[in-house]
Amino acid sequence: MKITRFALALLLSYAASAVALPKHAPVPGGVAVIDLGPASQTTPTARWGEQPIAVVRDKGHWFALFGIPLDTLPGDFEISVFSGLTVATRQISVHIRNYPEQRLTIKDKRKVEPNPDDPARIEREQKITEAIKRHFSGPPPATDFALPAKGPLSSRFGLRRIFNGLPRNPHAGLDVAVGTGAPVIAPADGIVANVGDYFFNGNTVFLDHGQGLITAYMHLSRTDVRAGQTVKKGETLGAVGATGRVTGPHLHWAVILNNTPVDPELFLSRP
Ligand SMILES: [Zn+2]
């Protein structure tokens, strides 16, 4: 009986410490889940250049969660790991991944070839969003995400995009095909980092989940939250719309790790 109770307690503590890590995908636009050793050691920290990397505890081990930039060439990639007074270099072997091409026609031509006075606005907005994406706060993030809108997945992450025949940045998020007005919910607990109306992204909400894990909800018709507000998993952030550079109403969902957009599908629970 004692053994059974002990086993149960062990199982419960094991479950409580599990955070459901993202899927390990060492490809451009993927996430490298790097085992940093037993959790009995001092909490390690990790860096990619100046950018801190998320370190979470799962099943008695520390893991670094590193977002691999989409423009990374296959081969070895290095991050630094600091534990107590020691510094070590960890190699990540990045594999090739060929993302398909997607050709789109945008009726609002200004969103593809902006007016002469638009670049100033675009540049101003990029500065704001860059600061949000770089931000690194202390608490470890929840990484077991719920899909933020109910609907089929349409454009997947990483598509090489051609707008009106002109090559543009790759698709740095996941699209959910849902109509205007459908609710958009928080996939995990977080703090609202920013709410704004952006040239390309339309009405947008940014959530900070901790340690550089940031998510964004774009093209919204309505926003229901304010910057600084704490939100719980499942709470409504706003409603789907067609604001910004779009072909029609849908949710564009971006997941950013260490200032790098990564495939949101890696964070969704799998059956
Ligand atoms: Zn999109």
Side-chain angles (χ1 to χ4, degrees):
M1 189 61 188
K2 257 183 187 169
I3 290 163
T4 315
R5 270 202 197 138
F6 177 72
L8 188 70
L10 199 71
L11 200 73
L12 286 174
S13 70
Y14 183 79
S17 69
V19 292
L21 298 176
K23 193 176 167 210
H24 175 63
V27 295
V31 174
V33 179
I34 308 149
D35 191 340
L36 301 181
S40 53
Q41 303 169 357
T42 324
T43 312
T45 58
R47 275 179 181 272
W48 165 46
E50 290 296 300
Q51 181 70 40
I53 297 170
V55 174
V56 297
R57 188 186 172 143
D58 185 54
K59 297 178 182 133
H61 274 233
W62 297 113
F63 290 90
L65 307 179
F66 178 61
I68 304 167
L70 253 175
D71 58 5
T72 305
L73 296 172
D76 285 342
F77 206 95
E78 274 184 10
I79 64 161
S80 306
V81 178
F82 305 81
S83 187
L85 294 172
T86 64
V87 186
T89 300
R90 289 292 297 263
Q91 308 272 346
I92 302 155
S93 182
V94 179
H95 304 267
I96 199 160
R97 171 146 184 206
N98 292 312
Y99 291 99
E101 186 182 281
Q102 184 184 42
R103 288 176 179 268
L104 294 168
T105 304
I106 303 287
K107 285 196 197 100
D108 183 358
K109 292 194 172 60
R110 185 176 165 192
K111 300 284 181 195
V112 182
E113 294 173 273
N115 286 356
D117 53 340
D118 289 335
R121 177 184 170 188
I122 295 166
E123 206 178 301
R124 199 167 60 238
E125 293 180 352
Q126 267 168 356
K127 282 205 180 109
I128 298 169
T129 55
E130 277 310 309
I132 298 164
K133 290 190 246 179
R134 260 200 319 269
H135 190 247
F136 193 89
S137 55
T143 53
D144 184 13
F145 284 178
L147 192 64
K150 280 202 184 80
L153 306 181
S154 43
S155 293
R156 307 308 252 267
F157 177 88
L159 296 171
R160 291 174 298 118
R161 287 193 143 171
I162 319 280
F163 286 108
N164 302 354
L166 302 166
R168 288 294 180 261
N169 286 337
H171 191 226
L174 172 67
D175 288 354
V176 187
V178 258
T180 297
V184 172
I185 59 146
D189 295 359
I191 294 169
V192 179
N194 174 276
V195 179
D197 171 18
Y198 294 96
F199 183 81
F200 290 120
N201 303 332
N203 293 321
T204 302
V205 172
F206 286 91
L207 288 187
D208 188 335
H209 302 280
Q211 295 202 6
L213 180 61
I214 316 281
T215 57
Y217 309 82
M218 300 177 182
H219 313 307
L220 304 178
S221 58
R222 197 188 74 230
T223 54
D224 296 342
V225 288
R226 278 176 320 212
Q229 191 182 328
T230 301
V231 293
K232 288 277 166 205
K233 184 174 187 171
E235 209 172 313
T236 305
L237 305 173
V240 172
T243 55
R245 184 176 63 186
V246 292
T247 52
H250 71 279
L251 171 69
H252 174 96
W253 178 34
V255 174
I256 294 127
L257 241 192
N258 48 263
N259 194 17
T260 300
V262 293
D263 187 353
E265 288 186 64
L266 299 172
F267 290 79
L268 295 173
S269 348
R270 290 161 302 282

